Amino acid sequence: MENTLRLEIVTPDRLVLSEDVDYVGAPGFDGEFGILPNHIPFLAALQVGPLHYNADGQTRYVFISGGFAEISDNKVTVLAEAAERAEDIDIDRARQAKERAEQRMSMEMDNVDYARARAALARALHRLKLLES
Ligand code: ATP
């Protein structure tokens, strides 16, 4: 029996994280789900939200912009559209993205893509909330 699992978070343009961890909590579509060492093989879709993991007695947070988590052989591979460790989140950028999305959603114009604005707002709000954790 292993005591740790390997967590890798990958986006289309970079490897965000590769670490041995004790626990992963990921944002599934039915709420957060947890992964401990020696978990059975599993594939789950992730929604926009915070992923957290425990390592060295500390809890750390990573923003995930939706994607998939594959668990197999004590390795958790997260394939995300975008992801940032808490310390890499640019708070001003997230605040500006929030304002832009809110402005777009308040416009009553034919050329506004409301679903896109709502998704951008959700990303910005989750990034800002994660910084409060
Ligand atoms: P923006 O409008 O500011 O680009 P967005 O939500 O549309 O925000 P995404 O499409 O989720 O941005 O991400 C595009 C790239 O920018 C990704 O590499 C993502 O990690 C990075 N990114 C976006 N917002 C931030 C932020 N606030 N801090 C750090 N990196 C960010």
Side-chain angles (χ1 to χ4, degrees), residues 6-129:
R6 188 85 183 161
L7 171 63
E8 287 202 346
I9 302 178
V10 184
T11 68
D13 52 345
R14 67 192 178 106
L15 174 65
V16 176
L17 186 130
S18 179
E19 264 185 61
D20 288 329
V21 306
D22 303 319
Y23 173 83
V24 179
F29 275 83
D30 297 323
E32 181 187 307
F33 62 90
I35 307 147
L36 286 162
N38 307 301
H39 199 290
I40 55 164
F42 186 60
L43 180 67
L46 302 181
Q47 61 172 333
V48 177
L51 176 147
H52 70 270
Y53 63 95
N54 297 347
D56 307 323
Q58 291 196 324
T59 302
R60 301 198 180 89
Y61 294 85
V62 183
F63 167 80
I64 301 290
S65 170
F68 293 91
E70 185 195 29
I71 297 116
S72 121
D73 294 332
N74 264 323
K75 185 171 173 190
V76 181
T77 307
V78 173
L79 304 171
E81 287 154 32
E84 302 105 44
R85 294 165 182 254
E87 58 270 32
D88 295 328
I89 294 177
D90 178 337
I91 190 166
D92 291 331
R93 180 172 171 175
R95 284 186 180 136
Q96 285 166 17
K98 173 176 173 282
E99 274 176 29
R100 257 193 329 271
E102 284 172 342
Q103 275 174 12
R104 289 201 177 109
M105 289 178 69
S106 68
M107 289 178 192
E108 288 189 22
M109 289 166 70
D110 288 346
N111 61 351
V112 173
D113 183 339
Y114 292 98
R116 187 174 162 189
R118 239 191 333 270
L121 180 60
R123 289 195 297 276
L125 290 174
H126 276 294
R127 284 181 170 116
L128 292 170
K129 195 165 167 211

